[in-house]
mmCIF file of all heavy atoms in Angstrom:
data_model
loop_
_atom_site.group_PDB
_atom_site.id
_atom_site.type_symbol
_atom_site.label_atom_id
_atom_site.label_comp_id
_atom_site.label_asym_id
_atom_site.label_seq_id
_atom_site.Cartn_x
_atom_site.Cartn_y
_atom_site.Cartn_z
ATOM 1 N N ARG A 113 -9.342 -70.498 6.679
ATOM 2 C CA ARG A 113 -10.015 -69.424 5.885
ATOM 3 C C ARG A 113 -9.138 -68.199 5.937
ATOM 4 O O ARG A 113 -8.171 -68.111 6.698
ATOM 5 C CB ARG A 113 -11.340 -69.117 6.424
ATOM 6 C CG ARG A 113 -11.345 -68.596 7.878
ATOM 7 C CD ARG A 113 -12.751 -68.389 8.459
ATOM 8 N NE ARG A 113 -13.476 -69.612 8.467
ATOM 9 C CZ ARG A 113 -13.380 -70.486 9.471
ATOM 10 N NH1 ARG A 113 -12.648 -70.183 10.539
ATOM 11 N NH2 ARG A 113 -14.149 -71.583 9.537
ATOM 12 N N ALA A 114 -9.446 -67.253 5.081
ATOM 13 C CA ALA A 114 -8.798 -66.033 4.981
ATOM 14 C C ALA A 114 -9.861 -64.942 4.936
ATOM 15 O O ALA A 114 -10.989 -65.177 4.460
ATOM 16 C CB ALA A 114 -7.847 -65.890 3.831
ATOM 17 N N LYS A 115 -9.543 -63.714 5.456
ATOM 18 C CA LYS A 115 -10.517 -62.605 5.441
ATOM 19 C C LYS A 115 -9.844 -61.392 4.928
ATOM 20 O O LYS A 115 -8.669 -61.017 5.284
ATOM 21 C CB LYS A 115 -10.988 -62.375 6.844
ATOM 22 C CG LYS A 115 -11.863 -63.539 7.418
ATOM 23 C CD LYS A 115 -12.447 -63.176 8.851
ATOM 24 C CE LYS A 115 -13.297 -64.304 9.378
ATOM 25 N NZ LYS A 115 -13.806 -63.982 10.723
ATOM 26 N N GLY A 116 -10.592 -60.623 4.110
ATOM 27 C CA GLY A 116 -10.228 -59.269 3.696
ATOM 28 C C GLY A 116 -8.887 -59.298 2.873
ATOM 29 O O GLY A 116 -8.053 -58.409 3.105
ATOM 30 N N LEU A 117 -8.735 -60.271 1.981
ATOM 31 C CA LEU A 117 -7.529 -60.342 1.133
ATOM 32 C C LEU A 117 -7.449 -59.131 0.189
ATOM 33 O O LEU A 117 -8.488 -58.497 -0.113
ATOM 34 C CB LEU A 117 -7.535 -61.588 0.327
ATOM 35 C CG LEU A 117 -7.386 -62.912 1.107
ATOM 36 C CD1 LEU A 117 -7.354 -64.083 0.095
ATOM 37 C CD2 LEU A 117 -6.121 -62.877 1.962
ATOM 38 N N LYS A 118 -6.303 -58.787 -0.170
ATOM 39 C CA LYS A 118 -6.071 -57.696 -1.168
ATOM 40 C C LYS A 118 -6.582 -57.996 -2.477
ATOM 41 O O LYS A 118 -6.315 -59.120 -3.078
ATOM 42 C CB LYS A 118 -4.588 -57.361 -1.265
ATOM 43 C CG LYS A 118 -4.247 -56.181 -2.148
ATOM 44 C CD LYS A 118 -2.748 -55.959 -2.226
ATOM 45 C CE LYS A 118 -2.389 -54.882 -3.131
ATOM 46 N NZ LYS A 118 -0.926 -54.631 -3.174
ATOM 47 N N PRO A 119 -7.495 -57.177 -3.137
ATOM 48 C CA PRO A 119 -7.961 -57.457 -4.487
ATOM 49 C C PRO A 119 -6.698 -57.543 -5.537
ATOM 50 O O PRO A 119 -5.888 -56.664 -5.489
ATOM 51 C CB PRO A 119 -8.926 -56.292 -4.832
ATOM 52 C CG PRO A 119 -9.225 -55.740 -3.455
ATOM 53 C CD PRO A 119 -8.059 -55.940 -2.579
ATOM 54 N N MET A 120 -6.723 -58.532 -6.335
ATOM 55 C CA MET A 120 -5.644 -58.710 -7.320
ATOM 56 C C MET A 120 -6.160 -58.725 -8.750
ATOM 57 O O MET A 120 -5.327 -58.488 -9.696
ATOM 58 C CB MET A 120 -4.953 -60.038 -7.028
ATOM 59 C CG MET A 120 -4.415 -60.168 -5.576
ATOM 60 S SD MET A 120 -3.189 -58.961 -5.149
ATOM 61 C CE MET A 120 -1.889 -59.389 -6.196
ATOM 62 N N ASP A 121 -7.499 -58.852 -8.990
ATOM 63 C CA ASP A 121 -8.005 -58.922 -10.427
ATOM 64 C C ASP A 121 -8.768 -57.617 -10.741
ATOM 65 O O ASP A 121 -9.080 -56.835 -9.857
ATOM 66 C CB ASP A 121 -8.887 -60.140 -10.521
ATOM 67 C CG ASP A 121 -8.106 -61.482 -10.216
ATOM 68 O OD1 ASP A 121 -6.902 -61.477 -10.418
ATOM 69 O OD2 ASP A 121 -8.823 -62.414 -9.909
ATOM 70 N N PHE A 122 -9.089 -57.461 -11.975
ATOM 71 C CA PHE A 122 -9.822 -56.272 -12.447
ATOM 72 C C PHE A 122 -11.144 -56.162 -11.924
ATOM 73 O O PHE A 122 -11.695 -55.048 -11.793
ATOM 74 C CB PHE A 122 -9.856 -56.253 -14.033
ATOM 75 C CG PHE A 122 -8.445 -56.060 -14.670
ATOM 76 C CD1 PHE A 122 -7.848 -57.163 -15.360
ATOM 77 C CD2 PHE A 122 -7.792 -54.810 -14.508
ATOM 78 C CE1 PHE A 122 -6.581 -56.944 -15.976
ATOM 79 C CE2 PHE A 122 -6.548 -54.710 -15.140
ATOM 80 C CZ PHE A 122 -6.018 -55.746 -15.832
ATOM 81 N N ASN A 123 -11.774 -57.284 -11.507
ATOM 82 C CA ASN A 123 -13.108 -57.249 -10.919
ATOM 83 C C ASN A 123 -13.112 -56.940 -9.461
ATOM 84 O O ASN A 123 -14.248 -56.910 -8.783
ATOM 85 C CB ASN A 123 -13.880 -58.500 -11.200
ATOM 86 C CG ASN A 123 -13.104 -59.762 -10.537
ATOM 87 O OD1 ASN A 123 -12.039 -59.556 -9.954
ATOM 88 N ND2 ASN A 123 -13.610 -60.953 -10.844
ATOM 89 N N GLY A 124 -11.956 -56.565 -8.902
ATOM 90 C CA GLY A 124 -11.841 -56.222 -7.513
ATOM 91 C C GLY A 124 -11.875 -57.508 -6.572
ATOM 92 O O GLY A 124 -12.022 -57.334 -5.370
ATOM 93 N N LEU A 125 -11.635 -58.703 -7.090
ATOM 94 C CA LEU A 125 -11.650 -59.893 -6.369
ATOM 95 C C LEU A 125 -10.289 -60.607 -6.551
ATOM 96 O O LEU A 125 -9.399 -59.999 -7.106
ATOM 97 C CB LEU A 125 -12.870 -60.818 -6.709
ATOM 98 C CG LEU A 125 -14.195 -60.168 -6.536
ATOM 99 C CD1 LEU A 125 -15.302 -61.096 -7.092
ATOM 100 C CD2 LEU A 125 -14.459 -59.870 -5.047
ATOM 101 N N ALA A 126 -10.216 -61.838 -6.152
ATOM 102 C CA ALA A 126 -8.975 -62.649 -6.296
ATOM 103 C C ALA A 126 -9.318 -64.085 -6.436
ATOM 104 O O ALA A 126 -10.508 -64.454 -6.111
ATOM 105 C CB ALA A 126 -8.051 -62.403 -5.123
ATOM 106 N N ASP A 127 -8.392 -64.906 -6.922
ATOM 107 C CA ASP A 127 -8.519 -66.413 -6.884
ATOM 108 C C ASP A 127 -7.408 -66.999 -6.025
ATOM 109 O O ASP A 127 -6.416 -67.448 -6.563
ATOM 110 C CB ASP A 127 -8.391 -66.823 -8.324
ATOM 111 C CG ASP A 127 -9.415 -66.250 -9.335
ATOM 112 O OD1 ASP A 127 -10.576 -66.011 -8.882
ATOM 113 O OD2 ASP A 127 -9.063 -65.873 -10.530
ATOM 114 N N PRO A 128 -7.640 -66.935 -4.728
ATOM 115 C CA PRO A 128 -6.503 -67.330 -3.826
ATOM 116 C C PRO A 128 -6.319 -68.765 -3.554
ATOM 117 O O PRO A 128 -7.251 -69.534 -3.666
ATOM 118 C CB PRO A 128 -6.933 -66.549 -2.565
ATOM 119 C CG PRO A 128 -8.424 -66.557 -2.532
ATOM 120 C CD PRO A 128 -8.800 -66.480 -3.951
#
Side-chain angles (χ1 to χ4, degrees):
R113 63 185 62 85
K115 293 182 180 180
L117 294 181
K118 180 180 179 181
M120 304 299 293
D121 299 335
F122 291 110
N123 59 2
L125 300 174
D127 302 321

